[in-house]
Each structure stands twice: as structure tokens, then as C-alpha cells.
PDB file of all heavy atoms in Angstrom:
ATOM      1  N   TYR A   1     105.656  42.405 133.422  1.00 91.00           N
ATOM      2  CA  TYR A   1     106.361  42.035 134.647  1.00 91.00           C
ATOM      3  C   TYR A   1     106.946  43.275 135.316  1.00 91.00           C
ATOM      4  O   TYR A   1     106.774  43.500 136.521  1.00 91.00           O
ATOM      5  CB  TYR A   1     107.476  41.023 134.347  1.00 91.00           C
ATOM      6  CG  TYR A   1     107.024  39.592 134.289  1.00 91.00           C
ATOM      7  CD1 TYR A   1     106.546  39.048 133.103  1.00 91.00           C
ATOM      8  CD2 TYR A   1     107.055  38.785 135.417  1.00 91.00           C
ATOM      9  CE1 TYR A   1     106.123  37.733 133.027  1.00 91.00           C
ATOM     10  CE2 TYR A   1     106.625  37.466 135.361  1.00 91.00           C
ATOM     11  CZ  TYR A   1     106.162  36.944 134.159  1.00 91.00           C
ATOM     12  OH  TYR A   1     105.727  35.641 134.111  1.00 91.00           O
ATOM     13  N   GLU A   2     107.640  44.112 134.526  1.00 90.00           N
ATOM     14  CA  GLU A   2     108.237  45.329 135.063  1.00 90.00           C
ATOM     15  C   GLU A   2     107.180  46.289 135.605  1.00 90.00           C
ATOM     16  O   GLU A   2     107.376  46.926 136.643  1.00 90.00           O
ATOM     17  CB  GLU A   2     109.067  46.028 133.986  1.00 90.00           C
ATOM     18  CG  GLU A   2     110.303  45.250 133.555  1.00 90.00           C
ATOM     19  CD  GLU A   2     110.048  44.386 132.337  1.00 90.00           C
ATOM     20  OE1 GLU A   2     108.893  43.936 132.153  1.00 90.00           O
ATOM     21  OE2 GLU A   2     110.992  44.164 131.573  1.00 90.00           O
ATOM     22  N   ALA A   3     106.055  46.386 134.903  1.00 89.00           N
ATOM     23  CA  ALA A   3     104.995  47.295 135.346  1.00 89.00           C
ATOM     24  C   ALA A   3     104.428  46.866 136.687  1.00 89.00           C
ATOM     25  O   ALA A   3     104.209  47.698 137.591  1.00 89.00           O
ATOM     26  CB  ALA A   3     103.886  47.349 134.293  1.00 89.00           C
ATOM     27  N   TYR A   4     104.176  45.578 136.858  1.00 91.00           N
ATOM     28  CA  TYR A   4     103.645  45.096 138.131  1.00 91.00           C
ATOM     29  C   TYR A   4     104.681  45.201 139.244  1.00 91.00           C
ATOM     30  O   TYR A   4     104.337  45.492 140.401  1.00 91.00           O
ATOM     31  CB  TYR A   4     103.153  43.654 137.991  1.00 91.00           C
ATOM     32  CG  TYR A   4     101.777  43.538 137.378  1.00 91.00           C
ATOM     33  CD1 TYR A   4     101.600  43.047 136.091  1.00 91.00           C
ATOM     34  CD2 TYR A   4     100.646  43.941 138.088  1.00 91.00           C
ATOM     35  CE1 TYR A   4     100.331  42.941 135.528  1.00 91.00           C
ATOM     36  CE2 TYR A   4      99.380  43.841 137.534  1.00 91.00           C
ATOM     37  CZ  TYR A   4      99.231  43.341 136.251  1.00 91.00           C
ATOM     38  OH  TYR A   4      97.978  43.248 135.708  1.00 91.00           O
ATOM     39  N   GLN A   5     105.944  44.991 138.941  1.00 91.00           N
ATOM     40  CA  GLN A   5     106.986  45.144 139.938  1.00 91.00           C
ATOM     41  C   GLN A   5     107.077  46.597 140.395  1.00 91.00           C
ATOM     42  O   GLN A   5     107.286  46.874 141.583  1.00 91.00           O
ATOM     43  CB  GLN A   5     108.321  44.667 139.367  1.00 91.00           C
ATOM     44  CG  GLN A   5     108.406  43.155 139.197  1.00 91.00           C
ATOM     45  CD  GLN A   5     109.536  42.717 138.283  1.00 91.00           C
ATOM     46  OE1 GLN A   5     110.255  43.549 137.710  1.00 91.00           O
ATOM     47  NE2 GLN A   5     109.686  41.411 138.112  1.00 91.00           N
ATOM     48  N   TYR A   6     106.907  47.527 139.447  1.00 85.00           N
ATOM     49  CA  TYR A   6     106.968  48.959 139.774  1.00 85.00           C
ATOM     50  C   TYR A   6     105.826  49.356 140.699  1.00 85.00           C
ATOM     51  O   TYR A   6     106.009  50.098 141.661  1.00 85.00           O
ATOM     52  CB  TYR A   6     106.915  49.758 138.473  1.00 85.00           C
ATOM     53  CG  TYR A   6     107.038  51.259 138.645  1.00 85.00           C
ATOM     54  CD1 TYR A   6     108.280  51.879 138.641  1.00 85.00           C
ATOM     55  CD2 TYR A   6     105.907  52.063 138.788  1.00 85.00           C
ATOM     56  CE1 TYR A   6     108.400  53.254 138.786  1.00 85.00           C
ATOM     57  CE2 TYR A   6     106.009  53.434 138.940  1.00 85.00           C
ATOM     58  CZ  TYR A   6     107.266  54.023 138.934  1.00 85.00           C
ATOM     59  OH  TYR A   6     107.374  55.380 139.084  1.00 85.00           O
ATOM     60  N   SER A   7     104.639  48.841 140.406  1.00 84.00           N
ATOM     61  CA  SER A   7     103.459  49.277 141.159  1.00 84.00           C
ATOM     62  C   SER A   7     103.149  48.397 142.366  1.00 84.00           C
ATOM     63  O   SER A   7     102.499  48.846 143.308  1.00 84.00           O
ATOM     64  CB  SER A   7     102.227  49.308 140.248  1.00 84.00           C
ATOM     65  OG  SER A   7     101.964  48.018 139.721  1.00 84.00           O
ATOM     66  N   GLY A   8     103.624  47.144 142.351  1.00 84.00           N
ATOM     67  CA  GLY A   8     103.214  46.210 143.393  1.00 84.00           C
ATOM     68  C   GLY A   8     104.207  45.941 144.487  1.00 84.00           C
ATOM     69  O   GLY A   8     103.871  45.286 145.491  1.00 84.00           O
ATOM     70  N   GLY A   9     105.447  46.429 144.319  1.00 86.00           N
ATOM     71  CA  GLY A   9     106.447  46.212 145.355  1.00 86.00           C
ATOM     72  C   GLY A   9     106.771  44.736 145.552  1.00 86.00           C
ATOM     73  O   GLY A   9     106.685  43.929 144.622  1.00 86.00           O
ATOM     74  N   GLU A  10     107.121  44.365 146.773  1.00 90.00           N
ATOM     75  CA  GLU A  10     107.540  42.994 147.062  1.00 90.00           C
ATOM     76  C   GLU A  10     106.436  41.976 146.791  1.00 90.00           C
ATOM     77  O   GLU A  10     106.715  40.814 146.489  1.00 90.00           O
ATOM     78  CB  GLU A  10     108.003  42.873 148.520  1.00 90.00           C
ATOM     79  CG  GLU A  10     109.277  43.661 148.832  1.00 90.00           C
ATOM     80  CD  GLU A  10     109.711  43.483 150.268  1.00 90.00           C
ATOM     81  OE1 GLU A  10     109.004  42.759 151.021  1.00 90.00           O
ATOM     82  OE2 GLU A  10     110.745  44.055 150.663  1.00 90.00           O
ATOM     83  N   ASN A  11     105.197  42.404 146.896  1.00 91.00           N
ATOM     84  CA  ASN A  11     104.059  41.495 146.733  1.00 91.00           C
ATOM     85  C   ASN A  11     103.499  41.526 145.309  1.00 91.00           C
ATOM     86  O   ASN A  11     102.343  41.180 145.083  1.00 91.00           O
ATOM     87  CB  ASN A  11     102.954  41.877 147.739  1.00 91.00           C
ATOM     88  CG  ASN A  11     101.953  40.758 147.940  1.00 91.00           C
ATOM     89  OD1 ASN A  11     102.310  39.585 147.972  1.00 91.00           O
ATOM     90  ND2 ASN A  11     100.688  41.123 148.094  1.00 91.00           N
ATOM     91  N   TRP A  12     104.323  41.886 144.351  1.00 95.00           N
ATOM     92  CA  TRP A  12     103.821  42.148 143.002  1.00 95.00           C
ATOM     93  C   TRP A  12     103.202  40.926 142.343  1.00 95.00           C
ATOM     94  O   TRP A  12     102.272  41.062 141.550  1.00 95.00           O
ATOM     95  CB  TRP A  12     104.935  42.705 142.121  1.00 95.00           C
ATOM     96  CG  TRP A  12     106.033  41.739 141.779  1.00 95.00           C
ATOM     97  CD1 TRP A  12     107.158  41.492 142.497  1.00 95.00           C
ATOM     98  CD2 TRP A  12     106.112  40.899 140.628  1.00 95.00           C
ATOM     99  NE1 TRP A  12     107.928  40.546 141.874  1.00 95.00           N
ATOM    100  CE2 TRP A  12     107.322  40.169 140.721  1.00 95.00           C
ATOM    101  CE3 TRP A  12     105.282  40.695 139.519  1.00 95.00           C
ATOM    102  CZ2 TRP A  12     107.715  39.248 139.757  1.00 95.00           C
ATOM    103  CZ3 TRP A  12     105.667  39.781 138.549  1.00 95.00           C
ATOM    104  CH2 TRP A  12     106.866  39.067 138.677  1.00 95.00           C
ATOM    105  N   LYS A  13     103.652  39.728 142.654  1.00 95.00           N
ATOM    106  CA  LYS A  13     103.096  38.545 141.996  1.00 95.00           C
ATOM    107  C   LYS A  13     101.627  38.323 142.370  1.00 95.00           C
ATOM    108  O   LYS A  13     100.867  37.763 141.580  1.00 95.00           O
ATOM    109  CB  LYS A  13     103.924  37.310 142.339  1.00 95.00           C
ATOM    110  CG  LYS A  13     105.283  37.278 141.661  1.00 95.00           C
ATOM    111  CD  LYS A  13     106.000  35.965 141.892  1.00 95.00           C
ATOM    112  CE  LYS A  13     107.328  35.945 141.157  1.00 95.00           C
ATOM    113  NZ  LYS A  13     108.049  34.660 141.343  1.00 95.00           N
ATOM    114  N   ALA A  14     101.233  38.766 143.541  1.00 95.00           N
ATOM    115  CA  ALA A  14      99.839  38.605 143.957  1.00 95.00           C
ATOM    116  C   ALA A  14      98.905  39.428 143.082  1.00 95.00           C
ATOM    117  O   ALA A  14      97.748  39.047 142.852  1.00 95.00           O
ATOM    118  CB  ALA A  14      99.665  39.000 145.420  1.00 95.00           C
ATOM    119  N   THR A  15      99.392  40.558 142.563  1.00 94.00           N
ATOM    120  CA  THR A  15      98.543  41.430 141.742  1.00 94.00           C
ATOM    121  C   THR A  15      98.769  41.220 140.244  1.00 94.00           C
ATOM    122  O   THR A  15      97.904  41.545 139.435  1.00 94.00           O
ATOM    123  CB  THR A  15      98.780  42.905 142.086  1.00 94.00           C
ATOM    124  OG1 THR A  15     100.161  43.238 141.861  1.00 94.00           O
ATOM    125  CG2 THR A  15      98.452  43.172 143.545  1.00 94.00           C
ATOM    126  N   ALA A  16      99.940  40.654 139.869  1.00 95.00           N
ATOM    127  CA  ALA A  16     100.200  40.388 138.456  1.00 95.00           C
ATOM    128  C   ALA A  16      99.270  39.323 137.902  1.00 95.00           C
ATOM    129  O   ALA A  16      99.163  39.157 136.683  1.00 95.00           O
ATOM    130  CB  ALA A  16     101.653  39.958 138.259  1.00 95.00           C
ATOM    131  N   SER A  17      98.576  38.616 138.785  1.00 95.00           N
ATOM    132  CA  SER A  17      97.622  37.579 138.378  1.00 95.00           C
ATOM    133  C   SER A  17      96.244  38.154 138.081  1.00 95.00           C
ATOM    134  O   SER A  17      95.265  37.412 137.995  1.00 95.00           O
ATOM    135  CB  SER A  17      97.491  36.560 139.502  1.00 95.00           C
ATOM    136  OG  SER A  17      97.047  37.210 140.690  1.00 95.00           O
ATOM    137  N   TYR A  18      96.159  39.473 137.910  1.00 96.00           N
ATOM    138  CA  TYR A  18      94.874  40.127 137.652  1.00 96.00           C
ATOM    139  C   TYR A  18      94.151  39.426 136.494  1.00 96.00           C
ATOM    140  O   TYR A  18      94.714  39.247 135.410  1.00 96.00           O
ATOM    141  CB  TYR A  18      95.117  41.597 137.303  1.00 96.00           C
ATOM    142  CG  TYR A  18      93.861  42.429 137.258  1.00 96.00           C
ATOM    143  CD1 TYR A  18      93.289  42.926 138.420  1.00 96.00           C
ATOM    144  CD2 TYR A  18      93.250  42.719 136.043  1.00 96.00           C
ATOM    145  CE1 TYR A  18      92.137  43.697 138.374  1.00 96.00           C
ATOM    146  CE2 TYR A  18      92.100  43.476 135.989  1.00 96.00           C
ATOM    147  CZ  TYR A  18      91.553  43.963 137.158  1.00 96.00           C
ATOM    148  OH  TYR A  18      90.405  44.719 137.111  1.00 96.00           O
ATOM    149  N   PRO A  19      92.889  39.019 136.688  1.00 98.00           N
ATOM    150  CA  PRO A  19      92.180  38.247 135.656  1.00 98.00           C
ATOM    151  C   PRO A  19      92.042  39.025 134.345  1.00 98.00           C
ATOM    152  O   PRO A  19      91.562  40.173 134.354  1.00 98.00           O
ATOM    153  CB  PRO A  19      90.806  37.992 136.296  1.00 98.00           C
ATOM    154  CG  PRO A  19      91.057  38.064 137.769  1.00 98.00           C
ATOM    155  CD  PRO A  19      92.104  39.131 137.934  1.00 98.00           C
ATOM    156  N   PRO A  20      92.444  38.448 133.229  1.00 98.00           N
ATOM    157  CA  PRO A  20      92.380  39.167 131.949  1.00 98.00           C
ATOM    158  C   PRO A  20      91.000  39.737 131.624  1.00 98.00           C
ATOM    159  O   PRO A  20      90.889  40.847 131.106  1.00 98.00           O
ATOM    160  CB  PRO A  20      92.795  38.102 130.935  1.00 98.00           C
ATOM    161  CG  PRO A  20      93.678  37.183 131.695  1.00 98.00           C
ATOM    162  CD  PRO A  20      93.092  37.130 133.075  1.00 98.00           C
ATOM    163  N   LEU A  21      89.936  38.989 131.933  1.00 98.00           N
ATOM    164  CA  LEU A  21      88.589  39.461 131.590  1.00 98.00           C
ATOM    165  C   LEU A  21      88.083  40.573 132.509  1.00 98.00           C
ATOM    166  O   LEU A  21      87.053  41.176 132.224  1.00 98.00           O
ATOM    167  CB  LEU A  21      87.603  38.295 131.577  1.00 98.00           C
ATOM    168  CG  LEU A  21      87.728  37.364 130.366  1.00 98.00           C
ATOM    169  CD1 LEU A  21      86.874  36.113 130.551  1.00 98.00           C
ATOM    170  CD2 LEU A  21      87.354  38.079 129.068  1.00 98.00           C
ATOM    171  N   LEU A  22      88.797  40.860 133.602  1.00 97.00           N
ATOM    172  CA  LEU A  22      88.440  42.020 134.422  1.00 97.00           C
ATOM    173  C   LEU A  22      89.131  43.281 133.919  1.00 97.00           C
ATOM    174  O   LEU A  22      88.985  44.355 134.514  1.00 97.00           O
ATOM    175  CB  LEU A  22      88.798  41.780 135.898  1.00 97.00           C
ATOM    176  CG  LEU A  22      87.998  40.694 136.616  1.00 97.00           C
ATOM    177  CD1 LEU A  22      88.294  40.728 138.115  1.00 97.00           C
ATOM    178  CD2 LEU A  22      86.495  40.851 136.386  1.00 97.00           C
ATOM    179  N   TYR A  23      89.875  43.150 132.837  1.00 95.00           N
ATOM    180  CA  TYR A  23      90.495  44.293 132.162  1.00 95.00           C
ATOM    181  C   TYR A  23      90.050  44.254 130.700  1.00 95.00           C
ATOM    182  O   TYR A  23      90.840  44.129 129.785  1.00 95.00           O
ATOM    183  CB  TYR A  23      92.014  44.171 132.282  1.00 95.00           C
ATOM    184  CG  TYR A  23      92.812  45.369 131.819  1.00 95.00           C
ATOM    185  CD1 TYR A  23      92.473  46.655 132.207  1.00 95.00           C
ATOM    186  CD2 TYR A  23      93.934  45.189 131.021  1.00 95.00           C
ATOM    187  CE1 TYR A  23      93.218  47.744 131.797  1.00 95.00           C
ATOM    188  CE2 TYR A  23      94.693  46.268 130.605  1.00 95.00           C
ATOM    189  CZ  TYR A  23      94.333  47.547 130.999  1.00 95.00           C
ATOM    190  OH  TYR A  23      95.079  48.623 130.585  1.00 95.00           O
ATOM    191  N   PRO A  24      88.718  44.356 130.469  1.00 96.00           N
ATOM    192  CA  PRO A  24      88.152  44.044 129.152  1.00 96.00           C
ATOM    193  C   PRO A  24      87.944  45.244 128.252  1.00 96.00           C
ATOM    194  O   PRO A  24      87.513  45.094 127.110  1.00 96.00           O
ATOM    195  CB  PRO A  24      86.783  43.470 129.525  1.00 96.00           C
ATOM    196  CG  PRO A  24      86.360  44.355 130.677  1.00 96.00           C
ATOM    197  CD  PRO A  24      87.647  44.645 131.437  1.00 96.00           C
ATOM    198  N   THR A  25      88.218  46.443 128.751  1.00 98.00           N
ATOM    199  CA  THR A  25      87.682  47.623 128.074  1.00 98.00           C
ATOM    200  C   THR A  25      88.382  47.943 126.758  1.00 98.00           C
ATOM    201  O   THR A  25      87.799  48.583 125.888  1.00 98.00           O
ATOM    202  CB  THR A  25      87.733  48.845 129.005  1.00 98.00           C
ATOM    203  OG1 THR A  25      89.099  49.080 129.397  1.00 98.00           O
ATOM    204  CG2 THR A  25      86.889  48.613 130.244  1.00 98.00           C
ATOM    205  N   HIS A  26      89.649  47.517 126.590  1.00 98.00           N
ATOM    206  CA  HIS A  26      90.310  47.759 125.300  1.00 98.00           C
ATOM    207  C   HIS A  26      89.639  46.948 124.192  1.00 98.00           C
ATOM    208  O   HIS A  26      89.377  47.465 123.102  1.00 98.00           O
ATOM    209  CB  HIS A  26      91.787  47.387 125.381  1.00 98.00           C
ATOM    210  CG  HIS A  26      92.586  48.265 126.290  1.00 98.00           C
ATOM    211  ND1 HIS A  26      92.273  49.584 126.542  1.00 98.00           N
ATOM    212  CD2 HIS A  26      93.709  48.010 127.013  1.00 98.00           C
ATOM    213  CE1 HIS A  26      93.155  50.103 127.371  1.00 98.00           C
ATOM    214  NE2 HIS A  26      94.035  49.159 127.677  1.00 98.00           N
ATOM    215  N   SER A  27      89.364  45.673 124.454  1.00 98.00           N
ATOM    216  CA  SER A  27      88.766  44.823 123.427  1.00 98.00           C
ATOM    217  C   SER A  27      87.268  45.087 123.274  1.00 98.00           C
ATOM    218  O   SER A  27      86.773  45.271 122.156  1.00 98.00           O
ATOM    219  CB  SER A  27      89.018  43.351 123.742  1.00 98.00           C
ATOM    220  OG  SER A  27      88.585  43.007 125.039  1.00 98.00           O
ATOM    221  N   VAL A  28      86.532  45.134 124.393  1.00 98.00           N
ATOM    222  CA  VAL A  28      85.091  45.381 124.332  1.00 98.00           C
ATOM    223  C   VAL A  28      84.807  46.810 123.861  1.00 98.00           C
ATOM    224  O   VAL A  28      83.952  47.042 122.990  1.00 98.00           O
ATOM    225  CB  VAL A  28      84.435  45.127 125.702  1.00 98.00           C
ATOM    226  CG1 VAL A  28      82.967  45.545 125.687  1.00 98.00           C
ATOM    227  CG2 VAL A  28      84.569  43.658 126.099  1.00 98.00           C
ATOM    228  N   GLY A  29      85.538  47.776 124.424  1.00 98.00           N
ATOM    229  CA  GLY A  29      85.306  49.177 124.062  1.00 98.00           C
ATOM    230  C   GLY A  29      85.631  49.474 122.618  1.00 98.00           C
ATOM    231  O   GLY A  29      84.977  50.305 121.982  1.00 98.00           O
ATOM    232  N   GLY A  30      86.645  48.794 122.074  1.00 98.00           N
ATOM    233  CA  GLY A  30      86.979  49.011 120.674  1.00 98.00           C
ATOM    234  C   GLY A  30      85.895  48.539 119.735  1.00 98.00           C
ATOM    235  O   GLY A  30      85.678  49.123 118.670  1.00 98.00           O
ATOM    236  N   VAL A  31      85.193  47.467 120.116  1.00 98.00           N
ATOM    237  CA  VAL A  31      84.062  46.978 119.316  1.00 98.00           C
ATOM    238  C   VAL A  31      82.847  47.877 119.506  1.00 98.00           C
ATOM    239  O   VAL A  31      82.254  48.387 118.536  1.00 98.00           O
ATOM    240  CB  VAL A  31      83.725  45.520 119.687  1.00 98.00           C
ATOM    241  CG1 VAL A  31      82.401  45.104 119.044  1.00 98.00           C
ATOM    242  CG2 VAL A  31      84.851  44.582 119.270  1.00 98.00           C
ATOM    243  N   LEU A  32      82.442  48.079 120.765  1.00 98.00           N
ATOM    244  CA  LEU A  32      81.214  48.836 121.029  1.00 98.00           C
ATOM    245  C   LEU A  32      81.377  50.332 120.770  1.00 98.00           C
ATOM    246  O   LEU A  32      80.387  51.042 120.594  1.00 98.00           O
ATOM    247  CB  LEU A  32      80.757  48.595 122.467  1.00 98.00           C
ATOM    248  CG  LEU A  32      80.366  47.148 122.802  1.00 98.00           C
ATOM    249  CD1 LEU A  32      79.863  47.059 124.243  1.00 98.00           C
ATOM    250  CD2 LEU A  32      79.299  46.631 121.834  1.00 98.00           C
ATOM    251  N   GLY A  33      82.628  50.801 120.725  1.00 98.00           N
ATOM    252  CA  GLY A  33      82.862  52.197 120.375  1.00 98.00           C
ATOM    253  C   GLY A  33      82.487  52.509 118.940  1.00 98.00           C
ATOM    254  O   GLY A  33      82.284  53.667 118.578  1.00 98.00           O
TER     255      GLY A  33
END
């Protein structure tokens, strides 16, 4: 919450809804690495 508020300003809730599977590289990369 704090991270999105820092980066997103007043409209932070619109970006805090970023789809989890569009940020897959920690889980996928850890396996395929």
C-alpha cells in the first residue's frame, strides 16, 4: 500500500490493482533459472 501511494500519487488505487500474473518473473524466473 505504501509503495503504491509513494509512486502513484492521488490516483494510486488505480495502479495498485496491477494484475498479479503480469508480475510473474520472481516465481517463474526462480523455477526456470
Side-chain angles (χ1 to χ4, degrees):
Y1 276 87
E2 293 94 330
Y4 279 109
Q5 289 163 357
Y6 183 89
S7 60
E10 294 181 359
N11 198 38
W12 69 272
K13 288 187 178 181
T15 59
S17 59
Y18 190 81
L21 286 171
L22 293 189
Y23 189 47
T25 59
H26 293 331
S27 54
V28 173
V31 170
L32 297 183

